[in-house]
Amino acid sequence: MNIRISRSLGVVAVLYFTANFSAQTKKDSLSKENKIEEIVMIGYGTQKKSNVTGAISSIKASDIEDAPTAGRPEQVLQGRAAGISVVSNSGQPGTAPTVRVRGITSFGAGSNDPLWVVDGIVVDNIGWLNQSDIESMEILKDGASAAIYGVSAAKGVILITTKKGRKGKLNLSYNGFFGVGSASKKLDLLNGTQYATIMNEAYNNDGLKPFLGNPSSYGVGTDWQKQIFNSAQRQSHEFSINGGNDKSTFYSSFGYYDQEGIVLRDISNYKRINARLNSTHKVFDFLTIGQTFAYTHTKSRGVNDNGEFGGPLSSAINLDPLTPVVVTNGINSQPNFSDYINNPNYVRDPNGNPYGISPYVSKEMTNPLAFRQTQLGRFKWTDDIIANVFAELKLDKHISFKSSMNGKLSYWGNQAFVPVNYLSTANKNDFNSLFRQIDKKFEWSTENTLSYQNKFGLHNLNVLFGQGYYEYNISSGQSTTFTNLPTNNWEDASFNFDISPENRKGNAWDGKQTHKASYFARVVYDYDNRYLFTGTIRRDGSSKFGSNNHWGNFPAMSLGWNVSNESFWPENKVVNSFKLRGGYGVLGNDAIDDFQFANFLIAGSNYTFGDNIIRVGYAPSTLENPDLKWERTSQFNIAADMKLFRNIDLSVDLYRKKSTDILRKVELPGYLGLINNPFRNIGDMNNDGVEVNLGYKKKWGDFGFSVNGNLAYLKNEITRLENNRPYVNFASYQTLGAVSRLQVGESYGSFYGYKNLGIFQNQAEIDAYRNAKGELIQPKAKPGDFKRLDANGDGVIDDKDYVNLGSSVPKYTFGLTVNLNYKNFDLMVFAQGQAGNKIFQGLRRLDILEANYQTAIMGRWTGEGTSNTIARLTVNDDNQNYTRMSDYYLQNGDYLRLKLVQIGYTLPSEAAKTIGASKIRFYVTGENLVTFTKYTGYDPEIAGTDTFGIDRAFYPQARTFIFGASVQF
């Protein structure tokens, strides 16, 4: 054999062996491989994965079918593909995670959620879907692959194909589990003695008389976290049946899911039932019809899951440990006994004892067990019906026409009974009330496509033309409130009580209907599976924009080259296949409030004129802006896909995503009399990234092994704000004011505040910190206070010295899945994480001086040399150590989480056949077993609708142990 080096376009050099293989022999082998090649969804069609030119990540049923459902099917995407970030919004049952495709696309026009398309139906969420019903999930990440969806696709597209029936015998399957979860971590909060020590010290440091006695007399005190955290059960049961013949096939499923929360499970829980039917019927050889139908009902109770203004979590963190959970030795023993005497509506436990009321920590902070008693009559519910019918006509062997009608009908609402109660001076109800709200919304669409597919020698051509019409927000709602019911028990509360008219109130509303029309076309071409081309154009018209900008055009093009299919590419054992691909596309975004281009007079501005009679008033809704236009997101992607050593798959993508004319509301002075601030095209933003997916799969006899890993890097930068504004304040927190900004040249949602240079250890250091005029830079400082960086050098510490303290958006996201199997045993290990971001820890109420602290405060400055990171404690805080934003509140958000470990055993087929089953598998799973992080809060995985990484008392995810089984007949 002769050894030589082959170079292809200077990109790859491989060492190969020349042997007695001809180009024709190689093409024959490729042809055989292509017969079993993976097919992926590309939007209104399918394509061989080897010929895909866009950035599409595919997740198959086999990748997720063994993972226990987390209540939301979005969660299974976490860590399984580079470029998609799935971050928990809360550990509260039923809460949807935050899903982002290739970073943040907009900072004002709607959420940054991707477009969800289930079996061709565009939906606003997939919480109604059974995880086991999913056949595949394709993530269209770049402009070229997503452009077929035009104005709706700027934030990425996720296509979900559900399972369909197959001809043959009936197949029945069951997958279910039962699990128990608990909190994996508790905060280290001050006990009674420590709390009294810290509070007395803060008062002493300001020369004030302490309000507490000898700290040692208080002992350990109340552990409020112990009172709110509980074990939580979780169960899921999913059944499906499918089958059919040459003419008709069907797939039907039913699911039941029930999960309790780990925080006060009586008022934190979620239940869901759903049913689904898919069917396809070949009426004639040239005509196929079909339908999908899904129904889902949910009922949930929830607590404030990331908010500092009340709720069980925030209260448990902030309440003093001196207040008892229940007063068992008489209210006269309490320092605030007058609260009980003067307010007889205080809440009692089942034994009639009063729940403790804090004499020190007030406002929204309340005894969480008393709070629970007032929330038992609250719940939310939804009913969703999603349906699709289609007909596909085969005009000849190359041309087909498909028409579909899609619809979603949703009902949702909530009910709440608020009893007469007294929780604190700021939380009380002197009369009871029963509230019910019911809303409904109907959305429908119709789409028609004409496709042509043919092969001319070595030329393969697929052409698609399409048209769609979409109606949104056909909606209405109404609410009713009854007050002063003759019962104070939520179980007896009813609207059937005959109460006086003045105790009855009602309200109703109608939605603003909008619509969109679209035309689209796509050409997919390849020559001999070597030279690949895809071109797409979509034209969308939306009623959300005025006549100047009704229509937008969204073109895209991508190219690919299967280098390894060339005759000059040698058969070798190193690089078995190699493909280059690249593309460019323009996408849109119209996710703004309705009719923002126009100025309407709307009700709600009532007034008095010359007397005390209230008259119905109208005011302009906003400022007219006929030039309001689409956000546009252009994306360039270049990539390489390789198979190495027959068992390794590697793909690398580099991209730049540029959003221009970003839509966001701008603040206008109140004296203009507008009801709403107007939307404007105010800015531009870039997302640059690198994605790497690497997989290995091998089998040795009875032993099989596979590993799949992914890593993504993201750099986000705001490049323009209107009128050359340097920044826009973004998120705020209590007395700190704005804690993050949208600032030109920096990442979305970057944290801004003072940079601390340590702590003044003595008066000499304060006196030495002077400006050019010889004046003290921090004249109010005392030893033990933070030393702030004078960032602009003007000799004064103020807001102009705020500097970038880090981004809330992770720079790196990663995931790793390992699968092992030996004979009938299998093992799966899944880990995921992120790095390069900061978390703002806002767990303590800054406006409540007596709120509790974490034990880290015991390391505060108490004298020269005692601390250089935690300032002294005071009541007045003249130096604003804790009442202004600084890097003191930020921590690294890096983490690596062992998300899932599962051990399974499949019964031998002979044993399964004894009950008529074809397969029976049992498994044990551990979820969220361990998290490696330096973050000191409950959970470093913190998302949010607009902002990442702000911990306001985040509801943590549970550590859960699950036992499950799957059976197939």
Side-chain angles (χ1 to χ4, degrees), residues 855-893:
T855 55
I857 201 68
M858 299 302 289
R860 79 282 182 205
W861 189 93
T862 57
E864 188 166 348
T866 55
S867 176
N868 202 39
T869 55
I870 303 177
R872 70 190 181 101
L873 296 177
T874 72
V875 174
N876 297 324
D877 196 19
D878 293 332
N879 192 58
Q880 298 181 319
N881 294 317
Y882 298 105
T883 54
R884 295 304 299 272
M885 175 60 180
S886 74
D887 54 4
Y888 169 78
Y889 289 103
L890 297 182
Q891 297 183 23
N892 287 332

Side-chain angles (χ1 to χ4, degrees), residues 739-740 749-752 803-806 808 838 840 890 948-950:
V739 298
S740 67
S750 291
F751 294 112
Y752 274 78
V803 296
N804 188 341
L805 301 174
S808 61
K838 296 288 187 180
F840 174 89
L890 297 182
F948 285 83
I950 297 184

Side-chain angles (χ1 to χ4, degrees), residues 166-418:
R166 298 176 181 177
K167 66 179 182 179
K169 72 178 184 70
L170 289 178
N171 296 284
L172 175 66
S173 66
Y174 164 79
N175 188 11
F177 66 78
F178 178 84
V180 177
S182 60
S184 60
K185 179 181 181 181
K186 287 174 58 179
L187 301 181
D188 292 326
L189 298 174
L190 299 181
N191 63 29
T193 296
Q194 293 168 328
Y195 174 82
T197 299
I198 289 297
M199 290 299 137
N200 287 347
E201 182 180 306
Y203 276 73
N204 282 326
N205 284 342
D206 279 343
L208 302 174
K209 181 180 179 181
F211 65 92
L212 294 173
N214 181 8
S216 62
S217 66
Y218 295 102
V220 174
T222 300
D223 183 350
W224 290 107
Q225 292 180 97
K226 183 179 180 180
Q227 302 302 317
I228 65 166
F229 285 121
N230 50 243
S231 62
Q233 296 182 3
R234 174 174 148 205
Q235 60 178 311
S236 174
H237 306 280
E238 297 179 346
F239 302 85
S240 69
I241 183 170
N242 76 89
N245 53 33
D246 292 335
K247 294 293 185 180
S248 296
T249 59
F250 77 96
Y251 177 93
S252 180
S253 68
F254 173 81
Y256 173 79
Y257 183 85
D258 185 359
Q259 183 178 4
E260 297 174 336
I262 60 172
V263 177
L264 298 180
R265 55 176 172 256
D266 290 345
I267 58 172
S268 176
N269 49 66
Y270 174 79
K271 291 183 180 181
R272 183 188 68 223
I273 59 171
N274 51 9
R276 184 174 187 83
L277 174 64
N278 297 342
S279 66
T280 303
H281 312 278
K282 194 171 185 180
V283 181
F284 304 106
D285 289 341
F286 59 87
L287 177 63
T288 301
I289 63 173
Q291 58 77 227
T292 64
F293 174 86
Y295 167 75
T296 301
H297 171 77
T298 68
K299 183 177 181 180
S300 63
R301 291 181 172 90
V303 299
N304 192 345
D305 54 5
N306 192 21
E308 70 270 36
F309 298 110
L313 273 163
S314 185
S315 292
I317 295 170
N318 284 277
L319 278 175
D320 62 275
L322 309 185
T323 299
V325 177
V326 178
V327 179
T328 57
N329 55 351
I331 58 177
N332 290 330
S333 65
Q334 299 303 300
N336 58 332
F337 65 89
S338 60
D339 274 345
Y340 301 88
I341 294 174
N342 297 329
N343 299 281
N345 294 324
Y346 55 80
V347 184
R348 296 169 174 83
D349 74 354
N351 296 319
N353 297 312
Y355 283 109
I357 301 171
S358 174
Y360 314 117
V361 180
S362 58
K363 296 191 176 180
E364 297 85 2
M365 303 301 132
T366 61
N367 186 318
L369 299 191
F371 174 81
R372 177 180 62 183
Q373 295 298 103
T374 68
Q375 303 297 301
L376 293 172
R378 295 177 180 266
F379 64 88
K380 296 180 180 180
W381 59 272
T382 65
D383 283 305
D384 289 317
I385 300 172
I386 300 97
N388 159 273
V389 293
F390 72 89
E392 187 169 5
L393 187 64
K394 194 77 172 177
L395 301 178
D396 66 18
K397 64 178 182 179
H398 302 300
I399 302 175
S400 62
F401 173 79
K402 183 176 182 180
S403 182
S404 65
M405 178 74 75
N406 315 303
K408 181 180 181 182
L409 177 61
S410 297
Y411 293 89
W412 71 96
N414 65 86
Q415 183 165 312
F417 176 74
V418 181

